[in-house]
């Protein structure tokens, strides 16, 4: 309450961000709600990942990532640990970049550029989903599925030398892997669908008429969040 | 009160600086670089025995959080938002840290139960 010409302090109009009359965060309502939705989604994903961590931490043996994931489906059958997931990670980071370039073009109101970047983002999303489908198919052929594991001989192959082979922990691994990557993949799928809807609107000129490409920014937030979750899924399933 | 106003004014200034195409590619190469380091650790340093697994895991987690920071701060633009929004989104992450602590502690007891 610094300088004012008003005699009584009660009559004084406060102009601080929290004095009302305007958004203290200077963020449009929908964008703020997207942020808080993503926070709640972060809680869901962390619950899944932390449960996975706790189960794995308390087990005496666990299928080793570089033994389970050592094929590039359709190309290399064995001996290429983490290569395929590396490609998937690259695709997703790349599609995050095209999305943020689309948002940047939206700030300039460049409709053609926005639609081009959105198309590339959608292609990236489909490529990631395709890779995940291949990965799932491969694991399914190996014998892994929800509450299903390979036979004893094949199971020996996914445990590290010297570690006891455990059907219980192999079951836990299979269930957690398909549940968590499935939940993430479902997010990618929804993201692709939402991106397509936004692309249709961009092409129809909806945001030019509205005078703002803020919707592209909002779906961009969702898309980056999907990338963010993958960074964690990648670390905890494939590296640790 | 006046300090808050100053703070906001300062931030209004910062709001104008936003993501340029140069910055976007810069962040991309940082993310790519961190991922490459993770792969070097996983495919070269650990199998050759240069780095024991007990060291590698904290490195992975540290690098992952570092990547998460770059994505949230720059791609999701949070660095350029008002401090109020940053705190309202950042502080609830304490709940996640809490769950990690609780379940890590809990899983110690599961080890005994599983014997």
């Amino acid at each position: 309450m610094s300088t004012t010409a008003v005699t009584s302090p009660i009559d004084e109009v406060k102009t601080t961000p929290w004095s009302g009359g305007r958004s203290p965060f200077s963020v449009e309502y929908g964008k703020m709600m997207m942020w808080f939705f993503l926070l709640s989604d972060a809680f869901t994903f962390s619950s899944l990942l932390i449960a996975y961590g706790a189960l794995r931490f308390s087990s005496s043996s666990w299928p080793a990532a570089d033994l389970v994931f050592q094929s590039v489906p359709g190309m290399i059958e064995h001996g290429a640990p983490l290569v395929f997931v590396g490609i998937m990670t690259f695709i997703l980071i790349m599609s995050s970049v095209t999305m943020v370039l689309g948002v940047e073009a939206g700030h300039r109101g460049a409709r053609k550029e926005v639609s081009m970047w959105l198309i590339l983002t959608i292609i990236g999303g489909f490529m990631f989903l395709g890779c995940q489908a291949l990965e799932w198919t491969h694991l399914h052929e190996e014998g892994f599925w929800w509450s299903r594991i390979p036979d004893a001989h094949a199971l020996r192959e996914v445990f590290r030398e010297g570690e006891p082979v455990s059907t219980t922990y192999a079951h836990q691994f299979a269930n957690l892997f398909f549940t968590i990557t499935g939940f993430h993949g479902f997010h990618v799928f929804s993201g692709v669908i939402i991106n397509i809807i936004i692309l249709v609107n961009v092409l129809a000129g909806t945001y030019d008429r509205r005078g703002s490409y803020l919707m592209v920014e909002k779906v961009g937030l969702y898309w980056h969040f999907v990338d963010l979750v993958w960074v964690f899924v990648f670390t905890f399933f494939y590296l640790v | 009160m006046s300090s808050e106003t100053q703070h906001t004014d300062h931030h209004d200034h910062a709001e104008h600086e936003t993501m340029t195409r140069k910055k976007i590619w810069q962040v991309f190469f940082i993310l790519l670089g961190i991922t490459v380091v993770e792969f070097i650790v996983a495919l070269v340093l650990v199998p050759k025995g240069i780095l024991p697994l007990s060291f590698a895991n904290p490195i992975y987690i540290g690098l992952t959080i570092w990547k998460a920071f770059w994505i949230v701060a720059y791609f999701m633009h949070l660095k350029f938002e008002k401090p109020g929004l940053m705190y309202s989104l950042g502080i609830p992450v304490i709940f996640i840290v809490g769950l990690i602590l609780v379940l890590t502690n809990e899983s110690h007891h599961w080890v005994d139960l599983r014997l």
Side-chain angles (χ1 to χ4, degrees):
Chain A
M1 265 140 288
S2 44
T3 56
T4 169
V6 185
T7 38
S8 162
I10 293 169
D11 294 334
E12 189 184 328
V13 179
K14 292 180 192 167
T15 54
T16 64
W18 292 90
S19 309
R22 59 175 164 141
S23 158
F25 292 164
S26 323
V27 175
E28 192 257 348
Y29 168 78
K31 190 175 158 186
M32 188 171 79
M33 287 301 110
M34 177 54 91
W35 265 113
F36 283 109
F37 161 70
L38 293 180
L39 181 66
S40 75
D41 222 17
F43 286 152
T44 313
F45 272 109
S46 357
S47 308
L48 284 168
L49 281 171
I50 295 166
Y52 160 73
L55 282 168
R56 181 168 169 180
F57 189 59
S58 60
S59 62
S60 49
S61 64
W62 197 263
D66 51 343
L67 299 177
V68 182
F69 311 105
Q70 55 166 319
S71 79
V72 179
M75 289 164 77
I76 310 164
E77 215 26 66
H78 276 294
L82 301 177
V83 171
F84 193 57
V85 72
I87 297 168
M88 287 169 74
T89 306
F90 179 74
I91 291 171
L92 209 56
I93 292 180
M94 206 57 226
S95 82
S96 226
V97 172
T98 56
M99 185 81 230
V100 81
L101 286 167
V103 172
E104 193 268 339
H107 285 305
R108 291 182 280 116
R111 182 159 68 103
K112 279 224 173 80
E113 275 186 61
V114 177
S115 43
M116 181 190 74
W117 291 124
L118 269 179
I119 289 167
L120 288 176
T121 308
I122 291 163
I123 292 171
F126 274 125
M127 279 169 76
F128 180 85
L129 286 173
C131 289
Q132 194 155 46
L134 286 172
E135 175 103 319
W136 275 38
T137 312
H138 177 75
L139 272 186
H140 187 255
E141 278 165 5
E142 300 241 297
F144 285 110
W145 196 236
W146 271 283
S147 65
R148 217 189 75 199
I149 53 170
D151 58 61
H153 178 70
L155 204 57
R156 175 70 268 183
E157 303 287 306
V158 299
F159 280 90
R160 232 180 263 290
E161 206 76 45
E163 274 192 16
V165 177
S166 160
T167 52
T168 312
Y169 299 141
H171 266 293
Q172 285 181 358
F173 165 78
N175 288 339
L176 286 161
F177 177 81
F178 286 111
T179 302
I180 294 175
T181 60
F183 195 55
H184 174 264
F186 180 64
H187 275 74
V188 178
F189 178 72
S190 336
V192 169
I193 298 294
I194 297 165
N195 282 345
I196 290 173
I197 294 169
I198 296 302
L199 174 66
V200 169
N201 280 338
V202 170
L203 292 174
T206 310
Y207 305 126
D208 284 331
R209 281 195 294 280
R210 207 178 278 179
S212 133
Y213 277 77
L214 195 66
M215 276 309 282
V216 178
E217 209 173 316
K218 288 184 225 170
V219 298
L221 283 179
Y222 181 79
W223 191 254
H224 296 313
F225 177 77
V226 167
D227 184 21
L228 180 71
V229 171
W230 178 253
V231 164
F232 282 91
V233 171
F234 166 67
T235 300
F236 291 115
F237 269 100
Y238 294 90
L239 292 179
V240 170
Chain B
M1 220 35 125
S2 70
S3 75
E4 195 185 344
T5 322
Q6 264 176 18
H7 197 65
T8 332
D9 282 343
H10 166 76
H11 205 76
D12 273 337
H13 231 44
E15 205 179 38
H16 294 298
E17 68 171 86
T18 178
M19 290 295 284
T20 57
R21 269 168 284 187
K22 197 179 150 216
K23 187 79 198 167
I24 292 168
W25 286 107
Q26 199 184 329
V27 174
F28 165 72
F29 282 113
I30 289 168
L31 290 176
L32 196 66
I34 299 172
T35 311
V36 168
V37 171
E38 285 177 337
F39 272 98
I40 291 171
V41 172
L43 296 177
V44 181
L45 297 185
V46 172
K48 285 197 175 156
I50 299 169
L51 209 66
L53 213 57
S54 50
F55 277 107
N57 285 345
I59 290 174
Y60 294 143
I61 293 166
L63 290 175
T64 301
I65 292 168
W66 198 26
K67 268 205 275 193
F69 164 78
W70 284 99
I71 293 174
V72 174
Y74 290 95
F75 281 2
M76 297 174 88
H77 215 256
L78 193 58
K79 197 169 182 289
F80 309 104
E81 304 290 357
K82 294 264 182 245
L85 185 60
M86 280 157 63
Y87 293 137
S88 345
L89 294 165
I91 292 171
V93 174
I94 287 176
F95 289 117
I96 297 175
V97 176
L99 186 63
I100 292 171
L101 295 177
V102 167
L103 272 191
T104 313
N105 186 42
E106 186 68 20
S107 59
H108 275 296
H109 301 289
W110 297 350
V111 175
D112 302 332
L113 291 175
R114 283 173 164 195
L115 286 178

